[in-house]
């Protein structure tokens, strides 16, 4: 479906994207719920597409919320045979939540994933304090939040500068702890590794350094990972501090990496620029305002149309015998009704399409109730559209 309608690039490009969106170690909030083999953190490949199945996750549905309610503009697809949205009416700031990276002509972007709850807290704060700058927002957004965990070791001043300028990098380390053994011995257990580091490649690198006598402080190590990461490291002597061992490993292997941030994004006018955290969140708020406004206007138009129809049906109930006579005897009942009761075309069509069973007395009460409910909803929508705060 994607290849046929939106993406004329062959199935492998589309399938690779689908696989990545299903990997919980690649996406902070996976958008595809995959069944079958979708690869592993070791770097194993996924199964061929004939062996896997996929559907959207609830998170992905948030990106498509209300897309059928005229919330976004549509444009022709690549061959003009169909339409596609210019932008999704997303109710989550996905570009920050899931992050993205890519290289275009003459420019690149690299945005690490973030915690959605933190982003929502920052957006709530920004709505109340529109002029709040990035350093205030970083009380809520602590920094990147990776699906594979890890610990960010970066001074606060550096984090503030990176998010204010939209460019910079973070040091990300594996998470580890010391486990006491018998006779004063201990071992180190690594439970989280940095983002996008393949575990198998990491273990192979450690083995190579160990065999080349580059890690004389180690007795041995083993990978005991199953669902969770568990790399166990045994020191040569209990007198060596575990911090010294880990500092050496951070220097020699990918147990520590640098993650870059380059928030080069398209703004609402489709102009690329490097933005601060404050600017990106403001763009998202503006996008949501437009989506919600369009959604409410769409609902308002539907309510007005329905109220018009209900008004016509109530007139028909009040003059039921006359309506039936006109339909039975007049050559042009439509023109006659428009003339007699000053009805609109839409109202007369609704009356003429009414079923006989709808002529029960009970139906009249239901129409009056629906009319009352819709007028109350219309009043509420108009009050929301009037107040920017709401």
């Amino acid at each position: 479906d994607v290849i046929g309608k939106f993406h004329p690039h062959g199935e492998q490009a589309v399938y690779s994207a689908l696989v990545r969106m299903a990997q919980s170690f690649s996406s902070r909030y996976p958008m595809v719920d995959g069944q079958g083999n979708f690869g592993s953190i070791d770097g194993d490949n996924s199964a061929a597409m004939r062996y896997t199945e996929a559907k959207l996750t609830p998170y992905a549905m948030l990106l498509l919320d209300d897309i059928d309610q005229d919330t976004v503009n549509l444009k022709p697809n690549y061959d003009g045979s169909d339409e596609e949205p210019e932008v999704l009416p997303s109710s989550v700031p996905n570009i920050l939540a899931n992050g993205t990276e890519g290289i275009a002509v003459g420019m690149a972007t690299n945005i690490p994933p973030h915690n959605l709850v933190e982003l929502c807290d920052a957006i709530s704060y920004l709505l109340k304090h529109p002029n709040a700058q990035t350093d205030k927002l970083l009380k809520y957004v602590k920094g990147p939040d990776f699906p594979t965990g890890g610990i960010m070791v970066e001074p606060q001043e550096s984090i503030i500068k990176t998010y204010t300028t939209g460019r910079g990098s973070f040091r990300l380390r594996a998470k580890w702890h010391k486990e006491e053994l018998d006779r004063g011995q201990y071992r180190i257990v690594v439970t989280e590794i940095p983002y996008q580091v393949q575990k198998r490649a990491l273990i192979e690198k450690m083995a190579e350094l160990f065999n080349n006598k580059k890690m004389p402080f180690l007795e041995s190590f083993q990978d005991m990972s199953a669902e969770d990461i568990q790399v166990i490291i045994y020191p040569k002597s209990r007198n060596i501090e575990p911090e010294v061992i880990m500092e050496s490993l951070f220097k020699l292997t990918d147990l520590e990496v640098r993650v870059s941030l380059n928030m080069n994004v398209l703004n609402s006018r489709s102009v690329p620029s490097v933005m601060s955290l404050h600017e990106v969140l403001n763009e998202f708020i503006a996008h949501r305002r437009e989506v919600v406004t369009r959604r409410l206007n769409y609902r308002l138009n539907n309510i007005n149309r329905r109220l018009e129809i209900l008004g016509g049906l109530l007139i028909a109930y009040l003059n039921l015998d006359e309506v039936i006579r006109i339909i039975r005897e007049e050559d042009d009942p439509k023109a006659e009704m428009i003339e007699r009761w000053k009805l609109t075309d839409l109202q007369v069509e609704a009356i003429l399409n009414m079923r006989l069973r709808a002529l029960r007395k009970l139906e009249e009460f239901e129409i009056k109730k629906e009319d009352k409910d819709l007028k109350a909803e219309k009043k509420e929508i108009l009050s929301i559209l009037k107040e920017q705060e709401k």
Side-chain angles (χ1 to χ4, degrees), residues 269-297:
R269 300 180 305 285
S270 294
V271 177
S273 62
V274 177
M275 291 189 188
S276 67
L277 178 67
H278 167 257
E279 289 171 314
V280 172
L281 292 180
N282 260 335
E283 285 281 344
F284 176 71
I285 289 171
H287 162 73
R288 282 305 294 165
R289 275 216 175 96
E290 185 185 348
V291 166
V292 173
T293 304
R294 287 180 66 155
R295 184 185 74 208
L296 292 171
N297 281 323

mmCIF file of all heavy atoms in Angstrom, residues 269-297:
data_model
loop_
_atom_site.group_PDB
_atom_site.id
_atom_site.type_symbol
_atom_site.label_atom_id
_atom_site.label_comp_id
_atom_site.label_asym_id
_atom_site.label_seq_id
_atom_site.Cartn_x
_atom_site.Cartn_y
_atom_site.Cartn_z
ATOM 1 N N ARG A 269 6.640 27.054 7.746
ATOM 2 C CA ARG A 269 6.676 27.560 6.363
ATOM 3 C C ARG A 269 7.582 26.698 5.483
ATOM 4 O O ARG A 269 7.969 27.118 4.393
ATOM 5 C CB ARG A 269 7.141 29.014 6.351
ATOM 6 C CG ARG A 269 6.248 29.955 7.139
ATOM 7 C CD ARG A 269 6.730 31.403 7.121
ATOM 8 N NE ARG A 269 8.114 31.544 7.582
ATOM 9 C CZ ARG A 269 8.486 31.470 8.856
ATOM 10 N NH1 ARG A 269 7.593 31.265 9.797
ATOM 11 N NH2 ARG A 269 9.759 31.618 9.191
ATOM 12 N N SER A 270 7.975 25.520 6.008
ATOM 13 C CA SER A 270 8.851 24.580 5.289
ATOM 14 C C SER A 270 10.229 25.153 4.996
ATOM 15 O O SER A 270 10.844 24.821 3.977
ATOM 16 C CB SER A 270 8.196 24.101 3.985
ATOM 17 O OG SER A 270 7.067 23.330 4.283
ATOM 18 N N VAL A 271 10.696 26.042 5.883
ATOM 19 C CA VAL A 271 12.043 26.598 5.734
ATOM 20 C C VAL A 271 12.954 25.899 6.749
ATOM 21 O O VAL A 271 12.647 25.868 7.938
ATOM 22 C CB VAL A 271 12.045 28.124 6.007
ATOM 23 C CG1 VAL A 271 13.460 28.684 5.916
ATOM 24 C CG2 VAL A 271 11.120 28.828 5.031
ATOM 25 N N PRO A 272 14.076 25.308 6.297
ATOM 26 C CA PRO A 272 14.962 24.625 7.247
ATOM 27 C C PRO A 272 15.763 25.616 8.074
ATOM 28 O O PRO A 272 16.251 26.621 7.558
ATOM 29 C CB PRO A 272 15.881 23.796 6.342
ATOM 30 C CG PRO A 272 15.845 24.475 5.015
ATOM 31 C CD PRO A 272 14.533 25.191 4.907
ATOM 32 N N SER A 273 15.878 25.334 9.369
ATOM 33 C CA SER A 273 16.755 26.152 10.217
ATOM 34 C C SER A 273 17.108 25.343 11.463
ATOM 35 O O SER A 273 16.388 24.420 11.838
ATOM 36 C CB SER A 273 16.068 27.456 10.612
ATOM 37 O OG SER A 273 14.909 27.178 11.368
ATOM 38 N N VAL A 274 18.227 25.703 12.100
ATOM 39 C CA VAL A 274 18.630 25.045 13.343
ATOM 40 C C VAL A 274 17.910 25.759 14.486
ATOM 41 O O VAL A 274 18.067 26.956 14.674
ATOM 42 C CB VAL A 274 20.162 25.109 13.535
ATOM 43 C CG1 VAL A 274 20.560 24.479 14.869
ATOM 44 C CG2 VAL A 274 20.860 24.389 12.381
ATOM 45 N N MET A 275 17.089 25.004 15.226
ATOM 46 C CA MET A 275 16.240 25.615 16.259
ATOM 47 C C MET A 275 16.666 25.193 17.658
ATOM 48 O O MET A 275 17.224 24.114 17.853
ATOM 49 C CB MET A 275 14.782 25.182 16.065
ATOM 50 C CG MET A 275 14.111 25.745 14.840
ATOM 51 S SD MET A 275 12.362 25.353 14.896
ATOM 52 C CE MET A 275 11.863 25.907 13.272
ATOM 53 N N SER A 276 16.332 26.045 18.618
ATOM 54 C CA SER A 276 16.521 25.697 20.031
ATOM 55 C C SER A 276 15.332 24.845 20.477
ATOM 56 O O SER A 276 14.324 24.746 19.772
ATOM 57 C CB SER A 276 16.590 26.960 20.880
ATOM 58 O OG SER A 276 15.314 27.606 20.862
ATOM 59 N N LEU A 277 15.459 24.253 21.665
ATOM 60 C CA LEU A 277 14.353 23.468 22.219
ATOM 61 C C LEU A 277 13.094 24.330 22.342
ATOM 62 O O LEU A 277 11.986 23.892 22.005
ATOM 63 C CB LEU A 277 14.753 22.929 23.601
ATOM 64 C CG LEU A 277 13.678 22.128 24.348
ATOM 65 C CD1 LEU A 277 13.375 20.820 23.629
ATOM 66 C CD2 LEU A 277 14.107 21.845 25.786
ATOM 67 N N HIS A 278 13.268 25.557 22.780
ATOM 68 C CA HIS A 278 12.154 26.504 22.947
ATOM 69 C C HIS A 278 11.429 26.722 21.616
ATOM 70 O O HIS A 278 10.194 26.705 21.545
ATOM 71 C CB HIS A 278 12.729 27.816 23.502
ATOM 72 C CG HIS A 278 11.795 28.974 23.441
ATOM 73 N ND1 HIS A 278 11.894 29.958 22.493
ATOM 74 C CD2 HIS A 278 10.727 29.296 24.212
ATOM 75 C CE1 HIS A 278 10.927 30.848 22.684
ATOM 76 N NE2 HIS A 278 10.216 30.471 23.718
ATOM 77 N N GLU A 279 12.190 26.899 20.539
ATOM 78 C CA GLU A 279 11.582 27.159 19.225
ATOM 79 C C GLU A 279 10.850 25.933 18.690
ATOM 80 O O GLU A 279 9.758 26.045 18.127
ATOM 81 C CB GLU A 279 12.670 27.608 18.231
ATOM 82 C CG GLU A 279 13.210 28.992 18.505
ATOM 83 C CD GLU A 279 14.432 29.321 17.659
ATOM 84 O OE1 GLU A 279 15.343 28.484 17.565
ATOM 85 O OE2 GLU A 279 14.463 30.417 17.101
ATOM 86 N N VAL A 280 11.446 24.750 18.875
ATOM 87 C CA VAL A 280 10.808 23.512 18.389
ATOM 88 C C VAL A 280 9.474 23.286 19.102
ATOM 89 O O VAL A 280 8.453 22.983 18.468
ATOM 90 C CB VAL A 280 11.736 22.288 18.583
ATOM 91 C CG1 VAL A 280 11.000 20.997 18.265
ATOM 92 C CG2 VAL A 280 12.966 22.402 17.686
ATOM 93 N N LEU A 281 9.464 23.457 20.427
ATOM 94 C CA LEU A 281 8.213 23.256 21.188
ATOM 95 C C LEU A 281 7.174 24.312 20.820
ATOM 96 O O LEU A 281 5.982 24.012 20.742
ATOM 97 C CB LEU A 281 8.495 23.280 22.692
ATOM 98 C CG LEU A 281 9.306 22.096 23.236
ATOM 99 C CD1 LEU A 281 9.529 22.231 24.734
ATOM 100 C CD2 LEU A 281 8.627 20.756 22.934
ATOM 101 N N ASN A 282 7.625 25.552 20.559
ATOM 102 C CA ASN A 282 6.680 26.595 20.134
ATOM 103 C C ASN A 282 6.052 26.268 18.781
ATOM 104 O O ASN A 282 4.869 26.524 18.554
ATOM 105 C CB ASN A 282 7.372 27.957 20.071
ATOM 106 C CG ASN A 282 7.079 28.792 21.305
ATOM 107 O OD1 ASN A 282 6.055 28.595 21.966
ATOM 108 N ND2 ASN A 282 7.967 29.719 21.632
ATOM 109 N N GLU A 283 6.861 25.717 17.872
ATOM 110 C CA GLU A 283 6.333 25.298 16.567
ATOM 111 C C GLU A 283 5.268 24.213 16.750
ATOM 112 O O GLU A 283 4.240 24.204 16.081
ATOM 113 C CB GLU A 283 7.464 24.758 15.673
ATOM 114 C CG GLU A 283 8.366 25.826 15.083
ATOM 115 C CD GLU A 283 7.745 26.511 13.868
ATOM 116 O OE1 GLU A 283 6.779 25.988 13.281
ATOM 117 O OE2 GLU A 283 8.233 27.611 13.519
ATOM 118 N N PHE A 284 5.543 23.293 17.684
ATOM 119 C CA PHE A 284 4.575 22.210 17.930
ATOM 120 C C PHE A 284 3.266 22.773 18.496
ATOM 121 O O PHE A 284 2.173 22.371 18.090
ATOM 122 C CB PHE A 284 5.159 21.172 18.897
ATOM 123 C CG PHE A 284 4.163 20.097 19.262
ATOM 124 C CD1 PHE A 284 3.771 19.148 18.332
ATOM 125 C CD2 PHE A 284 3.594 20.060 20.527
ATOM 126 C CE1 PHE A 284 2.836 18.168 18.659
ATOM 127 C CE2 PHE A 284 2.666 19.083 20.862
ATOM 128 C CZ PHE A 284 2.286 18.137 19.923
ATOM 129 N N ILE A 285 3.379 23.737 19.421
ATOM 130 C CA ILE A 285 2.169 24.347 20.007
ATOM 131 C C ILE A 285 1.353 25.050 18.914
ATOM 132 O O ILE A 285 0.123 24.922 18.856
ATOM 133 C CB ILE A 285 2.554 25.335 21.131
ATOM 134 C CG1 ILE A 285 3.070 24.556 22.352
ATOM 135 C CG2 ILE A 285 1.373 26.216 21.533
ATOM 136 C CD1 ILE A 285 3.694 25.416 23.446
ATOM 137 N N ALA A 286 2.040 25.780 18.032
ATOM 138 C CA ALA A 286 1.341 26.470 16.927
ATOM 139 C C ALA A 286 0.641 25.452 16.021
ATOM 140 O O ALA A 286 -0.495 25.660 15.577
ATOM 141 C CB ALA A 286 2.336 27.313 16.130
ATOM 142 N N HIS A 287 1.324 24.345 15.766
ATOM 143 C CA HIS A 287 0.752 23.271 14.934
ATOM 144 C C HIS A 287 -0.510 22.708 15.590
ATOM 145 O O HIS A 287 -1.539 22.522 14.943
ATOM 146 C CB HIS A 287 1.804 22.173 14.749
ATOM 147 C CG HIS A 287 1.262 20.861 14.292
ATOM 148 N ND1 HIS A 287 0.816 20.654 13.003
ATOM 149 C CD2 HIS A 287 1.082 19.683 14.948
ATOM 150 C CE1 HIS A 287 0.391 19.407 12.888
ATOM 151 N NE2 HIS A 287 0.537 18.795 14.061
ATOM 152 N N ARG A 288 -0.431 22.447 16.909
ATOM 153 C CA ARG A 288 -1.596 21.892 17.625
ATOM 154 C C ARG A 288 -2.756 22.882 17.624
ATOM 155 O O ARG A 288 -3.911 22.492 17.467
ATOM 156 C CB ARG A 288 -1.221 21.538 19.067
ATOM 157 C CG ARG A 288 -0.459 20.263 19.217
ATOM 158 C CD ARG A 288 -1.160 19.073 18.612
ATOM 159 N NE ARG A 288 -2.405 18.712 19.268
ATOM 160 C CZ ARG A 288 -3.314 17.904 18.736
ATOM 161 N NH1 ARG A 288 -3.145 17.392 17.556
ATOM 162 N NH2 ARG A 288 -4.416 17.623 19.392
ATOM 163 N N ARG A 289 -2.445 24.178 17.792
ATOM 164 C CA ARG A 289 -3.517 25.192 17.778
ATOM 165 C C ARG A 289 -4.270 25.145 16.459
ATOM 166 O O ARG A 289 -5.495 25.176 16.420
ATOM 167 C CB ARG A 289 -2.920 26.591 17.953
ATOM 168 C CG ARG A 289 -2.705 26.955 19.397
ATOM 169 C CD ARG A 289 -2.969 28.437 19.661
ATOM 170 N NE ARG A 289 -2.853 28.637 21.104
ATOM 171 C CZ ARG A 289 -1.738 29.060 21.702
ATOM 172 N NH1 ARG A 289 -0.668 29.336 20.992
ATOM 173 N NH2 ARG A 289 -1.700 29.209 23.005
ATOM 174 N N GLU A 290 -3.496 25.069 15.381
ATOM 175 C CA GLU A 290 -4.139 25.037 14.056
ATOM 176 C C GLU A 290 -4.970 23.767 13.879
ATOM 177 O O GLU A 290 -6.098 23.815 13.383
ATOM 178 C CB GLU A 290 -3.064 25.119 12.958
ATOM 179 C CG GLU A 290 -3.676 25.220 11.577
ATOM 180 C CD GLU A 290 -2.650 25.190 10.456
ATOM 181 O OE1 GLU A 290 -1.446 25.309 10.743
ATOM 182 O OE2 GLU A 290 -3.066 25.022 9.298
ATOM 183 N N VAL A 291 -4.417 22.622 14.291
ATOM 184 C CA VAL A 291 -5.137 21.345 14.149
ATOM 185 C C VAL A 291 -6.438 21.362 14.942
ATOM 186 O O VAL A 291 -7.497 20.990 14.440
ATOM 187 C CB VAL A 291 -4.241 20.158 14.599
ATOM 188 C CG1 VAL A 291 -5.053 18.890 14.790
ATOM 189 C CG2 VAL A 291 -3.138 19.924 13.568
ATOM 190 N N VAL A 292 -6.354 21.826 16.203
ATOM 191 C CA VAL A 292 -7.557 21.835 17.056
ATOM 192 C C VAL A 292 -8.592 22.814 16.513
ATOM 193 O O VAL A 292 -9.786 22.517 16.490
ATOM 194 C CB VAL A 292 -7.170 22.168 18.523
ATOM 195 C CG1 VAL A 292 -8.415 22.354 19.384
ATOM 196 C CG2 VAL A 292 -6.316 21.054 19.109
ATOM 197 N N THR A 293 -8.131 23.979 16.038
ATOM 198 C CA THR A 293 -9.057 24.966 15.462
ATOM 199 C C THR A 293 -9.770 24.379 14.244
ATOM 200 O O THR A 293 -10.996 24.498 14.108
ATOM 201 C CB THR A 293 -8.286 26.246 15.047
ATOM 202 O OG1 THR A 293 -7.596 26.746 16.192
ATOM 203 C CG2 THR A 293 -9.226 27.305 14.516
ATOM 204 N N ARG A 294 -9.010 23.725 13.374
ATOM 205 C CA ARG A 294 -9.616 23.142 12.171
ATOM 206 C C ARG A 294 -10.578 22.014 12.521
ATOM 207 O O ARG A 294 -11.627 21.870 11.893
ATOM 208 C CB ARG A 294 -8.514 22.642 11.220
ATOM 209 C CG ARG A 294 -7.792 23.789 10.529
ATOM 210 C CD ARG A 294 -6.700 23.329 9.597
ATOM 211 N NE ARG A 294 -7.207 22.586 8.464
ATOM 212 C CZ ARG A 294 -6.579 22.476 7.295
ATOM 213 N NH1 ARG A 294 -5.428 23.093 7.128
ATOM 214 N NH2 ARG A 294 -7.079 21.761 6.320
ATOM 215 N N ARG A 295 -10.210 21.215 13.541
ATOM 216 C CA ARG A 295 -11.080 20.123 13.965
ATOM 217 C C ARG A 295 -12.411 20.665 14.505
ATOM 218 O O ARG A 295 -13.487 20.165 14.191
ATOM 219 C CB ARG A 295 -10.384 19.295 15.038
ATOM 220 C CG ARG A 295 -11.168 18.073 15.485
ATOM 221 C CD ARG A 295 -10.482 17.368 16.638
ATOM 222 N NE ARG A 295 -10.626 18.115 17.879
ATOM 223 C CZ ARG A 295 -9.764 18.073 18.879
ATOM 224 N NH1 ARG A 295 -8.661 17.350 18.789
ATOM 225 N NH2 ARG A 295 -9.975 18.768 19.975
ATOM 226 N N LEU A 296 -12.325 21.724 15.321
ATOM 227 C CA LEU A 296 -13.542 22.315 15.894
ATOM 228 C C LEU A 296 -14.409 22.948 14.802
ATOM 229 O O LEU A 296 -15.641 22.833 14.834
ATOM 230 C CB LEU A 296 -13.174 23.361 16.951
ATOM 231 C CG LEU A 296 -12.533 22.810 18.236
ATOM 232 C CD1 LEU A 296 -12.014 23.932 19.116
ATOM 233 C CD2 LEU A 296 -13.527 21.959 19.015
ATOM 234 N N ASN A 297 -13.776 23.624 13.835
ATOM 235 C CA ASN A 297 -14.545 24.222 12.734
ATOM 236 C C ASN A 297 -15.233 23.151 11.889
ATOM 237 O O ASN A 297 -16.368 23.333 11.430
ATOM 238 C CB ASN A 297 -13.636 25.089 11.856
ATOM 239 C CG ASN A 297 -13.374 26.446 12.488
ATOM 240 O OD1 ASN A 297 -14.273 27.018 13.107
ATOM 241 N ND2 ASN A 297 -12.165 26.959 12.352
#
